[in-house]
Amino acid sequence: LLGAALLWAGAGALVNLKYSVEEEQRAGTVIANVAKDARDAGFVIDPRQPTAFRVVSNSAPHLVDISPGSGLLVTKQKIDRDLLCRQSPKCVISLEVMSSSMEICVIKLEIKDLNDNAPSFPTDQIELEISETASPGTRVPLESAYDPDSGSFGVQSYQITPNDLFGLETKTRGDGSRFAELVVEKSLDRETQSHYSYVITALDGGDPPNFGTVELSIRVIDSNDNNPLFEEPAYTVSVPENAPPGTPVIRLNASDPDEGTNGQVLYSFHSYVSERARELFQIDPQSGLITVSGAIDYEEGHVYELDVQAKDLGPNSIPAHCKVTISVQDANDNPPLINLLSVNSELVEVSENAPPGYVIALVRVSDRDSGANGRVQCKLLGNVPFRLQEYESFSTILVDGRLDREQRDQYNLTIQAKDNGVPSLQATKSFTVKITDENDNHPHFSKPYYQVIVQENNTPGAYLLSVSARDPDLGLNGSVSYQIVPSQVRDMPVFTYVSINPNSGDIYALRSFNHEQTKAFEFKVLAKDGGNPSLQSNATVRVIVLDVNDNTPVITAPPLVNGTAEVYIPRNAGVGYLVTVVKADDYDEGENGRLSYEMVEGDRGFFEIDQINGEIRTTRAFGENSKTAYELIVVAHDHGKTSLSASALILIYLSQALDAQESIGSVNLSLIFIIALGSIAAILFVTMIFVAVKCKRDNKEIRTYNCRIAEYSYGHQKKSSKKKKISKNDIRLVPRDVEETDKMNVVSCSSLTSSLNYFDYHQQTLPLGCRRSDSTFLNVESQNSRNAGSNHIYHHTFTGQSPQQPDLIINGMPLPE
């Protein structure tokens, strides 16, 4: 289309040509000479060009085309307008042709319709149901006929044959199509004729018209326009009083000519019929048969009148009525009559606490016969905790034993009355005695002792167990609620440990249990019913807290400083020499607290460790050329399912001094400590004198030192992210007038205390003004000196420390004092 538009834009002329052709033309039919008609319209065609025309666009190239040389518009195949344009009112094929001189010719070819199709119905038969009550003028739309032709050649009218009770009316839809409506012209009567057959004809507008037919079957639906009718308005029959139930009395018949439910008749007694008559007689609603349904007593009634109605099942039914008179023939067949005098003749309620002799019901027995036939004797049947006591005009039923609702909640009692006639007649009367509940049972736990095992470190609110108590009583007397009896667990109320759902008995933990603190505890649960007064019972619950491997071993020996211990042994120690004993504590129990020791790294070729007791012994002798220091990393791990462990670095030094000591025998260690303390005090005294002399000399030279400035500058320096080892040569006093950039760090008592866990240190004599328990000097080795040495960190512990020492953190746990 875009190309055609561009061509049109560049063309010099535009010509419109219109043609028409009837459908069903065979292939090759010449429709028009486009070249001639275009030339007549002013087209300039170059005769030297072999192709005078070129088709630019064609809406139906499979149906028509233009011959390039001659310019004739011809058909390529048979054209069926009904397929091409369906029922459109106008069917047009469009072509755009360009001449050799770039001129455009627009061709419109209209396809004209022929009446080549007949109307047809979608089915061979149309079935309709119309009620016989349909009034004249009632309309029923019918299925439309289809004709693929368009316009006047499509369906134009409908006809019905024969035209007696029904007529047809043709109507037009919004799209132009036409349909027929069946019109009821006369009243219908199903009882006269119930089925009709017609032929519907659809005609188109051709000349002559084409047509199509369909059979129309109409079934007349019955309506309830007839009422039932009895053969006689009244009937008289007789029946003996000894007739057993089910004895036929009379069969009634009411006819109704309608069909289906409209003609189906149901029989029933009229509302005027007495209840007693209904007890003695019954009528079958389908067949109309009246039968005996009760014991007929001549002494009670000689004649019974039954009003019977017959009614069909159709809408707006009008029933028919007749009267049936039944005469009773006398016979000696009156059995005794038993009447239970109570609030409910079928059910008697009595409390389970009723004492013996308690009256639950009164019984009156009568016999309408006379003489010996009317004298009656009564008795209570069955082995029941009740008895019957007779009086002149009535009898009583009494409690005659202990009643327990929980064992049996009801009894079916039968009273038998028997007259003295020949043959003897008797009657029985049955009723139910229901035992009502009293709160006479305590709640009963399913077991008196409950035990639950739970692992420590449980989640607060976790479900532990459920207790259950049953109370066989009913209602509030048997409704059980639970509560925990107040008690103490480790001097704390039990309510801080557990809670219970008062309705279900589910027990939950209120805290996370710790086996190391509480291995087990007990408490009592109270079950209480809702009676008044309430009854209760209790059960004991024991909670056993299982150990979980949640405590890491803590190495307690040898003493560790920042996870490291130093041990000295003589150089001449032989094989099997006891170096030290590694001891660790684990607060867990069982396998979780059983410890084993092993060496994982270091100089393991020189030493061995006992896995059970942690003894470290030498495995070889040390020579003169042996190195002076050895490292061992010892791990103590428990045997829990997920094992926890602690490690320590053991530095072992070979000491010549210990060799000499061993040669001269045992030396008093206290004497060594005293000498060491005296030496340290002397060194401190000399240092103080030196500092005082130095300060005095500097004052004479008008140079003063201010320790506060030095301390201030230390506190305001930017802390390095990497901790650096500081040697004692790096610590010096800072002059008051020195620039800020020349100030050096001074380790204060507070900073030393906070750095115990971060620096390797040698404890030396303490500076003046600092308590031994609060501070210590750091004798930090420089990195160069460390690298030049044996590449080991030596931790010298001060043996003369006071009892008050700072806490040490080993493997994340505080070392106990």
Side-chain angles (χ1 to χ4, degrees):
L1 293 177
L2 180 61
L6 294 175
L7 292 175
W8 291 345
L14 179 65
V15 175
N16 294 314
L17 298 178
K18 294 183 179 180
Y19 302 101
S20 63
V21 63
E22 291 183 346
E23 64 173 334
E24 304 296 333
Q25 298 292 331
R26 67 178 183 275
T29 300
V30 176
I31 299 174
N33 189 338
V34 177
K36 177 180 177 304
D37 295 339
R39 190 181 299 109
D40 294 343
F43 254 43
V44 178
I45 299 176
D46 189 355
R48 295 172 300 176
Q49 295 290 339
T51 302
F53 290 97
R54 180 166 59 90
V55 178
V56 178
S57 66
N58 186 352
S59 63
H62 60 291
L63 297 179
V64 297
D65 199 2
I66 294 179
S67 176
S70 62
L72 297 177
L73 179 63
V74 297
T75 60
K76 296 178 68 177
Q77 66 179 26
K78 182 179 177 181
I79 300 176
D80 189 349
R81 183 189 184 282
D82 306 319
L83 294 178
L84 179 63
C85 298
R86 303 283 179 185
Q87 291 184 331
S88 299
K90 200 166 188 179
C91 185
V92 178
I93 298 175
S94 298
L95 296 93
E96 286 79 26
V97 180
M98 178 181 288
S99 68
S100 58
S101 58
M102 301 298 289
E103 294 177 315
I104 301 299
C105 178
V106 178
I107 301 172
K108 300 291 184 180
L109 176 60
E110 181 180 359
I111 309 301
K112 293 185 177 181
D113 189 26
L114 295 178
N115 191 20
D116 55 346
N117 294 282
S120 63
F121 287 90
T123 59
D124 296 333
Q125 186 177 19
I126 300 175
E127 294 183 356
L128 291 180
E129 291 183 349
I130 300 177
S131 174
E132 65 175 336
T133 59
S135 58
T138 302
R139 298 172 180 268
V140 180
L142 301 178
E143 294 185 16
S144 302
Y146 173 74
D147 191 333
D149 294 328
S150 62
S152 62
F153 294 142
V155 177
Q156 298 296 317
S157 62
Y158 295 88
Q159 296 177 355
I160 185 171
T161 306
N163 187 3
D164 48 5
L165 297 179
F166 299 93
L168 285 182
E169 182 175 336
T170 304
K171 291 193 173 183
T172 304
R173 293 190 179 93
D175 58 357
S177 62
R178 301 193 177 187
F179 67 97
E181 283 186 349
L182 183 69
V183 182
V184 179
E185 296 182 347
K186 297 180 181 180
S187 299
L188 304 177
D189 186 0
R190 187 204 62 83
E191 287 75 25
T192 302
Q193 184 174 352
S194 62
H195 187 271
Y196 298 89
S197 295
Y198 296 93
V199 175
I200 303 297
T201 304
L203 299 94
D204 62 17
D207 187 17
N210 294 327
F211 62 90
T213 61
V214 65
E215 183 181 351
L216 174 63
S217 178
I218 300 175
R219 188 171 71 90
V220 180
I221 301 174
D222 182 44
S223 64
N224 194 21
D225 55 349
N226 293 283
N227 299 323
L229 182 65
F230 282 103
E231 297 175 353
E232 298 291 339
Y235 301 88
T236 301
V237 294
S238 62
V239 61
E241 67 170 339
N242 58 358
T247 301
V249 177
I250 187 174
R251 184 185 297 273
L252 301 176
N253 182 35
S255 60
D256 191 327
D258 293 327
E259 70 173 2
T261 57
N262 296 330
Q264 183 177 353
V265 179
L266 295 181
Y267 301 89
S268 63
F269 290 142
H270 200 276
S271 59
Y272 301 147
V273 177
S274 65
E275 288 296 328
R276 182 55 183 165
R278 293 175 185 269
E279 292 176 359
L280 298 178
F281 304 97
Q282 66 180 9
I283 185 170
D284 187 285
Q286 304 293 335
S287 64
L289 177 63
I290 298 178
T291 59
V292 176
S293 62
I296 303 176
D297 189 2
Y298 177 81
E299 288 75 20
E300 180 184 350
H302 304 290
V303 177
Y304 294 93
E305 290 185 353
L306 303 178
D307 291 319
V308 180
Q309 69 175 10
K311 185 177 182 181
D312 62 36
L313 298 180
N316 303 318
S317 175
I318 300 176
H321 298 85
C322 74
K323 182 182 293 292
V324 178
T325 302
I326 302 175
S327 299
V328 179
Q329 297 175 357
D330 187 26
N332 186 21
D333 61 347
N334 288 304
L337 296 178
I338 303 173
N339 292 323
L340 183 66
L341 304 179
S342 64
V343 177
N344 189 337
S345 61
E346 302 296 332
L347 179 66
V348 175
E349 293 186 352
V350 59
S351 172
E352 62 179 330
N353 289 341
Y358 182 82
V359 178
I360 65 170
L362 297 178
V363 178
R364 189 182 299 277
V365 179
S366 62
D367 193 325
R368 302 185 67 178
D369 294 330
S370 59
N373 295 331
R375 291 193 295 269
V376 180
Q377 294 178 347
C378 295
K379 65 178 179 178
L380 195 61
L381 302 180
N383 185 16
V384 292
F386 302 95
R387 63 186 175 89
L388 184 69
Q389 184 171 343
E390 294 185 82
Y391 296 92
E392 182 177 353
S393 59
F394 63 91
S395 300
T396 58
I397 299 177
L398 311 175
V399 176
D400 192 31
R402 181 179 178 273
L403 303 179
D404 189 352
R405 189 206 62 82
E406 287 70 35
Q407 293 183 2
R408 187 170 179 179
D409 60 352
Q410 70 178 21
Y411 295 87
N412 291 322
L413 301 185
T414 300
I415 302 173
Q416 183 185 68
K418 187 175 183 181
D419 63 23
N420 294 328
V422 179
S424 177
L425 299 178
Q426 65 182 21
T428 58
K429 176 69 174 180
S430 297
F431 63 98
T432 301
V433 177
K434 181 178 180 182
I435 311 302
T436 60
D437 185 54
E438 296 290 341
N439 191 23
D440 56 349
N441 290 280
H442 292 260
H444 178 70
F445 280 95
S446 57
K447 50 186 177 179
Y449 184 83
Y450 293 83
Q451 179 172 294
V452 63
I453 299 176
V454 60
Q455 290 186 342
E456 65 174 330
N457 302 329
N458 59 288
T459 304
Y463 169 80
L464 296 181
L465 78 160
S466 293
V467 297
S468 177
R470 295 287 181 260
D471 192 325
D473 294 327
L474 294 179
L476 292 178
N477 296 332
S479 64
V480 180
S481 61
Y482 304 90
Q483 64 186 52
I484 295 176
V485 179
S487 61
Q488 297 289 321
V489 178
R490 292 179 56 88
D491 298 330
M492 292 291 291
V494 70
F495 306 112
T496 64
Y497 281 78
V498 291
S499 67
I500 189 170
N501 187 313
N503 297 321
S504 65
D506 296 337
I507 298 177
Y508 301 90
L510 292 182
R511 62 168 61 187
S512 180
F513 300 142
N514 189 345
H515 174 80
E516 287 72 33
Q517 294 180 357
T518 307
K519 295 179 175 56
F521 61 92
E522 290 184 355
F523 57 92
K524 290 186 180 297
V525 175
L526 185 70
K528 188 177 182 181
D529 63 26
N532 187 18
S534 177
L535 301 179
Q536 61 188 23
S537 61
N538 59 64
T540 301
V541 178
R542 179 175 177 81
V543 179
I544 299 176
V545 182
L546 292 182
D547 184 43
V548 175
N549 192 20
D550 58 345
N551 289 287
T552 304
V554 177
I555 297 178
T556 59
L560 302 180
V561 178
N562 289 340
T564 304
E566 297 178 349
V567 177
Y568 293 86
I569 64 173
R571 182 178 292 276
N572 59 356
V575 177
Y577 181 83
L578 179 61
V579 177
T580 186
V581 178
V582 179
K583 293 294 182 182
D585 290 337
D586 193 322
Y587 294 116
D588 294 322
E589 292 182 353
E591 289 297 303
N592 296 330
R594 186 169 66 88
L595 300 178
S596 296
Y597 306 90
E598 62 176 332
M599 296 184 298
V600 295
E601 293 182 12
D603 300 312
R604 291 183 288 177
F606 295 88
F607 307 93
E608 65 179 0
I609 187 170
D610 189 296
Q611 293 185 353
I612 303 302
N613 55 31
E615 293 181 353
I616 299 178
R617 296 181 180 272
T618 60
T619 59
R620 65 177 64 181
F622 302 97
E624 292 297 333
N625 296 328
S626 299
K627 58 183 181 180
T628 60
Y630 296 87
E631 284 186 357
L632 291 177
I633 296 181
V634 178
V635 174
H637 62 85
D638 57 31
H639 288 260
K641 188 174 183 180
T642 301
S643 180
L644 302 177
S645 62
S647 62
L649 173 63
I650 309 297
L651 299 179
I652 304 173
Y653 298 101
L654 301 183
S655 175
Q656 295 292 344
L658 291 180
D659 296 341
Q661 177 179 332
E662 287 182 7
S663 64
I664 63 176
S666 177
V667 180
N668 190 349
L669 293 179
S670 299
L671 180 60
I672 297 176
F673 293 155
I674 293 174
I675 295 173
L677 286 174
S679 302
I680 293 173
I683 293 173
L684 285 175
F685 183 72
V686 173
T687 302
M688 292 174 60
I689 294 175
F690 175 77
V691 173
V693 172
K694 180 68 175 177
C695 290
K696 186 175 182 180
R697 184 183 302 170
D698 291 341
N699 288 336
K700 290 180 180 181
E701 296 175 1
I702 320 175
R703 297 188 63 183
T704 61
Y705 291 83
N706 193 324
C707 292
R708 294 184 179 274
I709 295 179
E711 183 178 356
Y712 174 80
S713 64
Y714 169 78
H716 286 73
Q717 283 185 345
K718 183 178 181 181
K719 296 182 180 179
S720 175
S721 62
K722 182 178 180 181
K723 293 178 173 55
K724 178 182 177 184
K725 300 296 183 178
I726 304 175
S727 69
K728 64 183 179 179
N729 296 328
D730 296 331
I731 303 175
R732 64 185 179 87
L733 297 177
V734 181
R736 179 175 295 178
D737 55 352
V738 175
E739 294 295 330
E740 185 70 16
T741 57
D742 295 332
K743 295 177 182 179
M744 302 299 294
N745 291 344
V746 177
V747 181
S748 65
C749 297
S750 60
S751 64
L752 284 172
T753 304
S754 63
S755 64
L756 288 175
N757 293 330
Y758 301 98
F759 295 96
D760 298 325
Y761 63 89
H762 301 294
Q763 289 190 351
Q764 302 292 346
T765 52
L766 301 177
L768 296 178
C770 293
R771 297 193 307 272
R772 187 177 303 275
S773 61
D774 296 336
S775 63
T776 180
F777 267 172
L778 298 182
N779 187 6
V780 185
E781 297 175 343
S782 65
Q783 187 68 26
N784 294 332
S785 64
R786 288 169 56 87
N787 296 335
S790 60
N791 294 327
H792 297 291
I793 305 172
Y794 301 145
H795 299 269
H796 301 280
T797 59
F798 186 70
T799 59
Q801 292 179 350
S802 64
Q804 185 178 1
Q805 297 183 7
D807 294 337
L808 299 180
I809 305 300
I810 300 176
N811 295 326
M813 297 292 294
L815 183 65
E817 296 182 359

